[in-house]
Amino acid sequence: MTRPNYQFELDDTGQPHASLAGQIDQVADFLNTDIRRSSERCEEILSAIADIRQGTTPVWACTGNLYELSLSTRCAAIANVYDETIPPAELTLEELAILVRDWHSLIAG
């Protein structure tokens, strides 16, 4: 599995920023607004992914500032909690794990 094509950087004020080819999509916005600088949230998500992969937890969900993250054996879904007309972004658990690990590395820097 290759790393999803997201760019992570610290801006001039030291705040983390995610984008997809220079654009902000739901996944990048989820990282920017709901995880932000929270190593604890990264670790919580990675732990939930591991539990689902091991079969100890069938589903897991959390709600942040703008999005709800739902994990299952089928996929990871990121849904806007304020606008239900926007379809959830879906990734594989592996894709999400890669992004969250990379984001965690950036903010733990």
Side-chain angles (χ1 to χ4, degrees):
M1 165 73 40
T2 59
R3 180 187 182 280
N5 192 25
Y6 283 83
Q7 300 166 335
F8 297 154
E9 62 187 4
L10 296 175
D11 67 17
D12 294 339
T13 66
Q15 293 301 310
H17 179 73
S19 64
L20 173 63
Q23 301 296 313
I24 302 298
D25 70 345
Q26 286 185 138
V27 177
D29 199 36
F30 167 75
L31 295 168
N32 293 331
T33 63
D34 285 18
I35 296 181
R36 299 189 305 187
R37 296 195 68 87
S38 177
S39 290
E40 294 82 12
R41 181 55 65 125
C42 291
E43 292 162 6
E44 178 183 25
I45 293 168
L46 292 170
S47 178
I49 291 171
D51 290 346
I52 289 172
R53 285 179 175 158
Q54 293 169 4
T56 57
T57 301
V59 295
W60 182 87
C62 69
T63 302
N65 296 319
L66 296 175
Y67 296 95
E68 178 181 58
L69 172 63
S70 301
L71 306 178
S72 69
T73 55
R74 189 180 67 78
C75 72
I78 299 171
N80 186 311
V81 296
Y82 293 103
D83 188 346
E84 294 178 3
T85 64
I86 301 171
E90 291 190 355
L91 302 97
T92 67
L93 292 179
E94 182 61 26
E95 289 169 331
L96 181 63
I98 290 167
L99 288 171
V100 172
R101 277 195 301 269
D102 288 352
W103 186 258
H104 188 253
S105 294
L106 174 72
I107 64 175

